[in-house]
């Protein structure tokens, strides 16, 4: 199924660096961003109005997804890129259109009403695309207690404790079962067996995400960077992965 995206979010994704309006919003946008970077052939449906990112806007926030100035910004961007609402194309095609049709300073006019503009991240994203540089990968947020940059936590912090696992109940990454028990507002549920072919294990050393099947067959070593994983985690698989 194509990812539904509106005009201005095409450029927001270029400048995405892991920020947003809430944890749920960030989790969703990070997932979309990573999928597009890893799979540029992903189909995107251009929509008018709220899209897949707007769907996770916090209920207690100042909802602006249907404001007129946002719709006007969408229209300007689509015109500039030669796209129209209802069109389905690939993320790779969108990047090609950005590279040939936009310059960073164009946003000073197109996105003049956007409160994120002063941060300069979208301009930087366009600059990278135009120059042929890769966009940076953004790691999924890892929840827990005293989590360090490589996903070690209060409970498990040896040199080899560098993975985080996605839970089936909330689809959020935690370094361990105890972190979920201490910080989540619901009981933990393991990742469902029917989804073992989906990314659900994060390497804290390099940010690569493995499917459960890949993780179970990796011999306690990241296939991307070679970092060693704690082999003792196999004793706790029943807590994280559905039998």
């Amino acid at each position: 199924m194509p990812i539904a995206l509106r005009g201005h979010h095409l450029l927001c994704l270029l400048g995405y660096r892991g920020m947003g309006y809430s944890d749920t919003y960030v989790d969703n946008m990070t997932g979309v961003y990573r999928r597009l970077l890893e799979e540029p052939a992903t189909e995107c449906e251009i929509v008018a109005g709220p899209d897949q990112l707007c769907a996770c806007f916090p209920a207690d926030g100042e909802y602006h997804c249907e404001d007129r100035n946002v719709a006007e910004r969408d229209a300007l961007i689509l015109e500039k890129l030669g796209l129209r609402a209802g069109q389905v194309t690939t993320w790779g095609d969108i990047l090609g259109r950005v590279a040939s049709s936009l310059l960073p300073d164009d946003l000073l006019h197109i996105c003049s009403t956007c409160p994120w503009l002063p941060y300069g991240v979208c301009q930087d994203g366009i600059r990278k695309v135009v120059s042929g540089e890769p966009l940076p990968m953004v790691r999924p947020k890892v929840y827990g207690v005293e989590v360090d940059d490589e996903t070690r936590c209060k409970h498990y912090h040896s040199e080899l404790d560098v993975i985080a696992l996605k839970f089936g109940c909330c689809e959020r990454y935690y370094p361990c079962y105890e972190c979920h028990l201490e910080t989540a507002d619901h009981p933990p549920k393991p990742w469902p067996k029917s989804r073992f072919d989906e990314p659900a294990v994060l390497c804290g050393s390099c940010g690569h995400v493995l499917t459960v099947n890949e993780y179970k067959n990796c011999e306690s070593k990241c296939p991307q960077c070679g970092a060693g994983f704690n082999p003792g985690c196999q004793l706790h698989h029943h807590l994280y992965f559905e039998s």
Side-chain angles (χ1 to χ4, degrees):
M1 180 179 295
I3 296 175
L5 294 172
R6 64 191 305 171
H8 81 278
H9 278 159
L10 301 179
L11 304 190
C12 290
L13 284 162
L14 299 182
Y16 185 60
R17 302 294 182 268
M19 60 288 196
Y21 301 103
S22 68
D23 285 342
T24 300
Y25 187 94
V26 169
D27 288 342
N28 178 57
M29 193 162 180
T30 299
V32 170
Y33 179 82
R34 288 181 63 98
R35 180 182 170 189
L36 295 175
L37 258 63
E38 293 169 353
E39 303 172 24
T42 297
E43 289 190 331
C44 303
E45 179 183 3
I46 308 303
V47 298
D51 62 3
Q52 194 160 327
L53 302 185
C54 297
C56 289
F57 197 92
D60 59 353
E62 187 176 340
Y63 188 74
H64 57 256
C65 296
E66 297 187 47
D67 289 358
R68 186 176 69 179
N69 69 322
V70 176
E72 291 172 347
R73 200 182 311 150
D74 287 339
L76 285 172
I77 292 167
L78 294 185
E79 180 181 5
K80 192 76 172 174
L81 297 180
L83 295 168
R84 67 184 185 281
Q87 185 173 347
V88 176
T89 187
T90 66
W91 179 246
D93 175 63
I94 292 168
L95 291 179
R97 291 170 184 265
V98 170
S100 62
S101 306
L102 281 177
L103 292 173
D105 286 348
D106 289 340
L107 298 196
L108 300 178
H109 165 63
I110 296 173
C111 298
S112 60
T113 59
C114 178
W116 293 91
L117 184 64
Y119 292 95
V121 289
C122 295
Q123 295 99 310
D124 183 57
I126 292 174
R127 190 176 298 111
K128 289 181 183 299
V129 172
V130 170
S131 64
E133 296 179 53
L135 294 172
M137 184 56 74
V138 173
R139 294 190 179 202
K141 181 172 180 178
V142 178
Y143 298 82
V145 183
E146 299 175 15
V147 182
D148 73 8
D149 291 340
E150 294 192 324
T151 75
R152 299 178 186 88
C153 66
K154 168 187 173 183
H155 312 97
Y156 297 96
H157 42 263
S158 77
E159 183 180 350
L160 298 178
D161 290 315
V162 290
I163 64 166
L165 305 108
K166 189 184 287 189
F167 280 73
C169 45
C170 53
E171 301 204 6
R172 287 182 171 177
Y173 285 96
Y174 289 83
C176 72
Y177 190 82
E178 286 79 4
C179 276
H180 191 289
L181 287 174
E182 284 194 38
T183 62
D185 61 358
H186 57 271
K189 290 184 179 179
W191 192 250
K193 190 173 184 178
S194 61
R195 299 175 66 186
F196 278 12
D197 60 346
E198 296 181 28
V201 181
L202 173 69
C203 172
S205 291
C206 70
H208 180 63
V209 178
L210 296 75
T211 68
V212 176
N213 289 329
E214 289 172 334
Y215 172 65
K216 287 191 169 187
N217 292 288
C218 74
E219 299 182 348
S220 299
K221 183 183 295 185
C222 176
Q224 183 75 14
C225 70
F229 300 152
N230 193 335
C233 292
Q234 297 178 36
L235 301 174
H236 307 143
H237 278 186
H238 62 288
L239 298 175
Y240 303 101
F241 311 127
E242 192 176 71
S243 302

